[in-house]
Amino acid sequence: MSDVRITHIGGPTVLIEAEGWTLLTDPTFDPPGRRYAFGWGTSSRKVAGPALRPGDLPHVDAVLLTHDHHGDNLDDAGRTVAAAAGTLATTPSGARRLGAHARALRPWQTTRLSAPGRPDIEITATPARHGPPLSGPFVGQVTGFALTWEGQRHGALWISGDTVLFGGVREVARRFTVGTALLHLGGVRFPLTGPVRYTMTARQALRLCAEMRPHTAFPVHYEGWRHFAEGRPGIERALAAAPSETRDRIRWLPLGAPHDHEA
């Protein structure tokens, strides 16, 4: 049986400690108040800071970066954290921008973390689409990650990345038994593009959980920014209306407090 410690730092930033490994997703550590441009006339203001500072972190063995080109997934302070990590896994375009330190992963490609005295962790890039059909050239490459290691009881630990619900995400459920899912929610939208969503809503996440049937799913990426259109209250309203078999799979992570979880 394998246990994992998960600490939600804020937004998409999560510290994962498993089998002696320390991994960090999408490092964002800038203070609140600044407005960030996301391209094509869109922007957003950060309204809440991280629950932990970079100096509070243990040594980070690997950063799992879903994409590098949006400030709510990698900011200035986060770049310093990512540069100091032993490994950085991200998209091919992100790896080109970030340099030789980064490992480029296309969808379904894998890389491995190996060290004496610790079990290997296999990292598989999973498809993500950060917007509606045909939006890829405008929003850029994004990836999710599936983590597997010997001794997992319930299945892979999956990080969705910033994505809407589409066939590539559903394919994850066909290729992996997912034990733990970190779901990037928030139903992101911008005034410039009207009702178009760029990440999953709670209703989409519930549909996905009904198909994927993870043992536990944790919402992240739903607070701290103006462009997160659906925060925790909206997510909870959707959960209240969902069938209990699906609703009971969703759990909340306390910000800044380690959560010990059976993986």
Side-chain angles (χ1 to χ4, degrees), residues 111-214:
T111 190
R112 189 175 294 270
L113 301 178
S114 300
R118 289 181 277 181
D120 290 359
I121 293 184
E122 186 170 84
I123 302 168
T124 302
T126 61
R129 195 183 77 205
H130 201 356
L134 306 179
S135 63
F138 304 99
V139 299
Q141 289 182 341
V142 181
T143 189
F145 298 99
L147 311 180
T148 56
W149 61 85
E150 187 176 352
Q152 286 175 315
R153 180 174 181 179
H154 299 296
L157 192 161
W158 178 56
I159 301 131
S160 72
D162 285 13
T163 186
V164 296
L165 182 59
F166 77 115
V169 169
R170 289 186 165 103
E171 180 68 19
V172 177
R174 292 188 282 270
R175 297 199 186 205
F176 289 93
T177 298
V178 175
T180 303
L182 297 178
L183 300 178
H184 289 213
L185 303 185
V188 165
R189 63 183 181 186
F190 300 94
L192 183 69
T193 53
V196 174
R197 302 282 183 160
Y198 295 90
T199 59
M200 280 189 282
T201 64
R203 289 184 178 179
Q204 287 181 323
L206 286 164
R207 289 202 298 272
L208 177 61
C209 285
E211 299 174 25
M212 183 175 281
R213 300 176 64 84

Side-chain angles (χ1 to χ4, degrees), residues 24 27 54 57-63 77-88 101:
L24 186 69
L57 300 176
H59 170 74
V60 175
D61 294 304
V63 164
R79 288 176 183 274
T80 300
V81 173
T87 297
L88 172 61
H101 175 58

Side-chain angles (χ1 to χ4, degrees), residues 9-10 13 27-36 44-54 71-72 74-81 223-226:
I9 296 171
T13 309
T28 55
F29 291 94
D30 284 357
R34 176 178 163 189
R35 178 172 290 278
Y36 296 74
S44 182
R45 187 175 301 279
K46 187 173 187 177
V47 297
L52 299 177
R53 296 169 299 179
D72 61 327
L74 181 68
D75 58 20
D76 292 342
R79 288 176 183 274
T80 300
V81 173
E223 44 66 47
W225 289 80
R226 293 288 188 202

